[in-house]
Amino acid sequence: MVLMFLNGEGMRDGRLHHQLDGAPLLRIARSAPKYRYFSVADRFPAMIATDSGGRAVTGEVYDVPMETLRDNLIPAEPAELELGLIELDDGTACLATVLRREHLGSGDLIDISDIGDWRAYRAGGTASAVSP
């Protein structure tokens, strides 16, 4: 079992939540304030560590079996994301899917770091486009 931080459609009531195959929710959490957070063409969110201007991202921490990670979660991730380690605001390390560095300059990215919450953004939060 591994701690997995989800911050998009895999969270409760999200359209991809079924991929967790019953993995238990441990808690609602926020990342440490060291990430930029993007909407990728309004299809899914992506976070990436930054040296400056970082913000906290809201998500959920699950206790995920390695088989579920291998068989359900990782194969379903878009090409723009990869598995990485992040830090929560209490110092806990978690796995998460993060933006691949080579996609950082993409015109598909909308910076939603100041919102820091995928659900709030989808519900009508404001954000700014990122210039390549």
Side-chain angles (χ1 to χ4, degrees):
M1 303 285 253
V2 295
L3 295 180
M4 184 76 185
F5 178 79
L6 299 176
N7 60 72
E9 295 296 329
M11 293 187 295
R12 288 172 297 152
D13 300 323
R15 61 184 173 79
L16 301 176
H17 184 73
H18 67 278
Q19 292 174 334
L20 289 172
D21 200 23
L25 170 67
L26 298 180
R27 63 185 169 120
I28 307 301
R30 289 181 59 77
S31 72
K34 53 170 79 171
Y35 301 93
R36 297 305 295 171
Y37 193 48
F38 302 99
S39 169
V40 181
D42 280 338
R43 294 181 296 131
F44 56 88
M47 59 191 290
I48 191 166
T50 185
D51 292 330
S52 63
R55 304 283 191 278
V57 175
T58 299
E60 298 173 347
V61 176
Y62 289 85
D63 193 8
V64 178
M66 291 294 282
E67 295 79 13
T68 300
L69 187 64
R70 178 194 66 208
D71 298 340
N72 298 356
L73 296 177
I74 298 305
E77 290 300 330
E80 295 91 342
L81 300 180
E82 64 185 356
L83 192 62
L85 281 173
I86 65 146
E87 181 181 345
L88 298 182
D89 62 359
D90 67 358
T92 302
C94 277
L95 288 177
T97 52
V98 297
L99 184 68
R100 292 178 188 269
R101 287 233 169 252
E102 62 265 24
H103 292 286
L104 195 51
S106 168
D108 287 342
L109 299 181
I110 300 165
D111 191 330
I112 60 172
S113 300
D114 287 337
I115 298 168
D117 184 315
W118 181 244
R119 290 176 178 151
Y121 170 71
R122 299 291 284 181
T126 58
S128 60
V130 174
S131 3

